[in-house]
Amino acid sequence: MLMERYIEKVLAECRRQDSKWGVQNHNLVEWIAILTEETGEAAREAVDCHFVHSESSIERLEEELIQVAAVVLQALQSIDRQKALAAADGKNL
Ligand SMILES: [Mg+2]
């Protein structure tokens, strides 16, 4: 039950990103940069949660982790699209 709740939140975040940015077809390095930026935001919230004990930190950490998971899914879908385009040209990604 808990897992399904988080999966739905990740999918909702993917839909939010899609409506904000459209289909994202970044290159591999750009995807890792985006993921690293989101992971950095999650790390900052974890540090705040651990050392500052702000009441809202754990909620912000959860939200940042959901964004990390959504970016991973977006990157994987983008790689799938890029592989299909490359294959159509008889190439490998
Ligand atoms: Mg973020």
Side-chain angles (χ1 to χ4, degrees), residues 38 41 64 67:
E38 289 296 344
E41 291 176 351
E64 293 298 342
Q67 291 173 14

Side-chain angles (χ1 to χ4, degrees), residues 4-71:
E4 285 80 6
R5 185 166 66 90
Y6 283 116
I7 288 171
E8 184 49 47
K9 287 185 176 192
V10 171
L11 294 176
E13 175 61 20
C14 287
R15 290 189 290 271
R16 187 192 70 79
Q17 292 176 2
D18 287 345
S19 66
K20 183 174 183 178
W21 304 109
V23 176
Q24 299 182 77
N25 288 312
H26 305 295
N27 67 46
L28 302 176
V29 174
E30 290 169 334
W31 275 118
I32 294 303
I34 293 167
L35 181 60
T36 301
E37 190 264 349
E38 289 296 344
T39 303
E41 291 176 351
R44 182 189 60 220
E45 297 303 337
V47 168
D48 283 355
C49 192
H50 185 76
F51 292 107
V52 179
H53 306 292
S54 167
E55 284 184 20
S56 62
S57 291
I58 193 67
E59 285 80 17
R60 290 198 310 261
L61 173 59
E62 289 171 337
E63 183 57 37
E64 293 298 342
L65 289 173
I66 287 165
Q67 291 173 14
V68 167
V71 168

